[in-house]
Amino acid sequence: MDALSRAGVARGGVDGTSYLYLYPSEPHPRYLFPYPTGHDVVGLLPGADPAHRDESVVVMAHYDHLGRDSRRHVFNGAYDDVAGVAAILELARAFGAAGYAPRRTVVWLITDEEESGLRGARAWAKNPTVPRDGIVLGISLDPIGRGLVPGYAFTALFGLEHSPELRERIAASRPALSRGDLLIAHRDLIPHPPFASDHDPFLNEGLPAVWFVNPGFSFYHQVTDEAATIQYDVLLESVRVLAQLVDSVANDDQRYPFVDEPAVEARDLAAFRAPIGGVLGALPDLGRSQRESLVGLDRRLAAIEVSGSFDPAEVEDLGLAAIAQLFTLGVTNPGPIPPPFPAGATAALR
Ligand SMILES: [Zn+2]
């Protein structure tokens, strides 16, 4: 909250006198959450255009994580999701320092209790502190700041299938947005559970939202997810992409009609060819069976890309296969850890 205050960010709690947004919750033993009240932190960059300042772009990251393990080691969650919070604080600072004045309001929503069930984002999305009808887009940064494997990082955007006009616009600006691969795919291709984030309560409320991720799972949900494992070049590139996305939407005067149950399209599946190609290029010494399995998956996706059609019964299998293979390769190929890596924190390397 001090960082938001120093950046000149307006207080975005219920009556505008505080950054805190309190909501009723319940203790959660697994996550060491002993309070009956959840605490989101909300800041505002008020829109400069009187005709559009009741409209808002909501940028989210969660500050909670997993508490302690059975041996009382703290899960610090640098990648998941301190880096997302850091991205918000830095962008808020940079916007303030530049005197940036977008037409629409930018909401910085730093959520509580994401890990224990998206409670902080859900509470705010149900009772937002800005006009609900004016929420143009929610962006959940979670997690960001690691590449998938050494030498290959990408940014993924999930959920834009609910906002087709915005999806087309972002897809068209892809070269300017990102120097790395930008994967745009259907949220339903990511299995839930276990994978969810703060954009989900927005989508459930019928609010356009996007899940902004750097998939990089080497230390995901482990006590080894420490600051020393963050790849700052990846984080910086993500903040650049985020800044352009926020700028583009906050200065727009279009709304993006919400599509309730968008179907998975061939391009949602074909999008996974980019990270598969990235991994194959970055890991030349990959074992034969893993390489063959990835190449086989890429062939199936290529056939879908070329024909533009697929058997709907295949979707779940293909999506799961792509996610499972990329996730496993991320876990088993953490690469060299930038020093100083915490002594004894080697669980993920075995
Ligand atoms: Zn997270």
Side-chain angles (χ1 to χ4, degrees):
M1 286 184 272
D2 285 352
L4 292 174
S5 177
R6 277 197 304 276
V9 170
R11 288 164 172 76
V14 173
D15 53 9
T17 61
S18 166
Y19 291 115
L20 280 177
Y21 176 91
L22 307 184
Y23 59 90
S25 189
E26 54 199 48
H28 196 299
R30 158 118 198 255
Y31 300 101
L32 300 183
F33 185 82
Y35 316 107
T37 306
H39 294 63
D40 290 342
V41 175
V42 195
L44 302 175
L45 173 58
D49 180 343
H52 290 282
R53 71 167 52 123
D54 282 346
E55 297 170 346
S56 60
V57 184
V58 184
V59 185
M60 297 175 273
H62 67 90
Y63 72 83
D64 67 300
H65 198 38
L66 301 172
R68 293 173 196 254
D69 70 6
S70 56
R71 293 192 295 182
R72 301 195 62 74
H73 292 139
V74 174
F75 290 92
N76 282 319
Y79 161 70
D80 180 15
D81 187 26
V82 176
V85 175
I88 284 183
L89 297 180
E90 175 57 13
L91 203 53
R93 186 204 63 74
F95 280 180
Y100 177 64
R103 300 172 72 189
R104 289 172 163 157
T105 293
V106 178
V107 180
W108 309 111
L109 174 57
I110 303 174
T111 60
D112 196 358
E113 294 191 285
E114 190 271 353
E115 300 287 2
S116 54
L118 316 174
R119 295 172 179 180
R122 181 173 299 116
W124 192 89
K126 282 189 182 299
N127 285 297
T129 51
V130 294
R132 195 178 188 295
D133 293 345
I135 296 174
V136 174
L137 182 67
I139 306 169
S140 176
L141 309 169
D142 177 32
I144 57 172
R146 273 193 65 77
L148 183 64
V149 295
Y152 180 68
F154 71 108
T155 299
L157 303 178
F158 300 107
L160 288 171
E161 65 280 0
H162 291 278
S163 318
E165 292 92 341
L166 184 60
R167 175 179 177 149
E168 297 312 328
R169 178 136 63 87
I170 292 173
S173 65
R174 172 188 301 247
L177 272 173
S178 176
R179 289 198 293 264
D181 285 324
L182 188 65
L183 179 153
I184 299 176
H186 200 293
R187 193 266 171 267
D188 290 354
L189 292 175
I190 310 302
H192 175 207
F195 299 111
S197 182
D198 286 339
H199 64 286
D200 284 315
F202 276 58
L203 294 178
N204 292 339
E205 292 285 319
L207 298 169
V210 61
W211 188 4
F212 185 120
V213 197
N214 293 138
F217 301 111
S218 314
F219 309 98
Y220 180 72
H221 283 197
Q222 305 197 39
V223 291
T224 45
D225 178 2
E226 291 280 354
T229 70
I230 294 294
Q231 290 172 243
Y232 289 95
D233 57 334
V234 174
L235 183 56
L236 181 61
E237 178 63 11
S238 284
V239 175
R240 285 206 186 98
V241 174
L242 173 69
Q244 291 182 54
L245 179 59
V246 171
D247 179 53
S248 151
V249 176
N251 281 304
D252 199 5
D253 52 14
Q254 306 281 306
R255 298 298 298 262
Y256 318 114
F258 187 85
V259 176
D260 246 332
E261 289 186 9
V264 174
E265 298 174 22
R267 60 180 175 167
D268 291 307
L269 291 163
F272 285 92
R273 297 194 65 205
I276 290 171
V279 166
L280 288 170
L283 298 178
D285 300 330
L286 201 59
R288 203 175 120 206
S289 73
Q290 274 183 317
R291 177 165 292 270
E292 279 174 1
S293 156
L294 275 178
V295 169
L297 180 58
D298 186 59
R299 259 194 220 113
R300 291 174 71 193
L301 297 174
I304 288 171
E305 186 169 31
V306 170
S307 70
S309 68
F310 55 91
D311 177 356
E314 282 186 299
V315 168
E316 198 169 328
D317 274 2
L318 280 168
L320 281 175
I323 301 303
Q325 292 194 36
L326 295 175
F327 188 97
T328 304
L329 286 165
V331 171
T332 52
N333 293 276
I337 306 308
F341 190 67
T346 56
L349 299 175
R350 274 187 235 123

